[in-house]
């Protein structure tokens, strides 16, 4: 009887252990992993923020914050991933412009044509043109991209 109880207990534990790995990765994490692999850089953790429209890269933590509140945040993910690929730990207009250019490449890794990728980045910069930010000058970034 004890052997039977132990066998049942072991079966329950093993069944539960199959899901110990945690929840499945979000689609944003899967895209980040795909780009990191394609661009030969280490992984980055995507911290999805469903109530935000902003993004940020935390270089020391190798983590990016991705606001998913508005539309399709693929540009934002690509832009923040570009900071990860470049290992940007500081912010300047120059690093933002370079991240935008690399975001075009990342969007192509995900299947966009070069024209579609460039249009996606340009549309995001145009959309944000009235946003006041200490680092971004979205109009200058758009001119640089074009």
């Amino acid at each position: 009887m004890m052997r039977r109880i132990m066998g049942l207990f072991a079966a329950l534990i093993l069944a539960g252990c199959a899901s110990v790995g945690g929840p499945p990765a979000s689609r944003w994490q899967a895209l980040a992993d795909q780009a990191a692999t394609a661009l030969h850089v280490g992984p980055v953790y995507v911290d999805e923020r469903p109530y935000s429209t902003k993004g940020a890269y935390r270089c020391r933590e190798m983590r990016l914050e991705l606001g998913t509140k508005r539309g399709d945040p693929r540009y934002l993910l690509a832009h923040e991933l570009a900071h990860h690929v470049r290992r940007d730990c500081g912010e300047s207009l120059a690093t933002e412009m370079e991240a935008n250019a690399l975001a075009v490449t990342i969007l192509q890794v995900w299947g966009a044509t070069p024209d579609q990728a460039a249009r996606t980045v340009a549309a995001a910069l145009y959309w944000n043109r009235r946003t006041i930010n200490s680092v971004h000058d979205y109009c200058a970034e758009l001119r640089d991209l074009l």
Side-chain angles (χ1 to χ4, degrees):
M1 178 69 159
M2 184 61 138
R3 192 177 240 168
R4 193 168 159 196
I5 292 172
M6 291 303 287
L8 180 60
F9 183 70
L12 289 172
I13 288 176
L14 290 175
C17 288
S19 62
V20 168
S26 76
R27 70 185 257 201
W28 309 117
Q29 183 67 59
L31 286 172
D33 294 345
Q34 180 187 8
T37 299
L39 297 171
H40 310 290
V41 296
V44 63
Y45 175 74
V46 177
D47 182 9
E48 187 176 345
R49 306 275 171 108
Y51 301 107
S52 176
T53 58
K54 299 181 189 225
Y57 175 63
R58 309 289 180 214
C59 71
R60 287 171 188 38
E61 301 164 26
M62 299 190 59
R63 176 179 66 85
L64 64 87
E65 298 167 2
L66 178 67
T68 58
K69 182 177 181 182
R70 180 181 59 199
D72 181 5
R74 287 183 334 130
Y75 156 74
L76 187 57
L77 178 60
H79 177 87
E80 298 306 337
L81 273 169
H83 287 301
H84 172 67
V85 171
R86 294 175 32 76
R87 300 286 192 244
D88 291 336
C89 287
E91 294 180 319
S92 70
L93 183 56
T95 61
E96 295 305 321
M97 290 177 174
E98 291 165 3
N100 290 327
L102 187 51
V104 172
T105 300
I106 292 170
L107 288 164
Q108 290 174 59
V109 167
W110 296 333
T113 66
D115 190 49
Q116 290 168 332
R119 273 195 250 152
T120 298
V121 174
L125 294 172
Y126 182 77
W127 176 264
N128 288 318
R129 72 192 182 283
R130 292 192 178 128
T131 303
I132 297 173
N133 186 295
S134 61
V135 175
H136 285 277
D137 178 343
Y138 292 105
C139 290
E141 291 175 54
L142 181 57
R143 281 190 301 274
D144 180 68
L145 180 71
L146 297 176

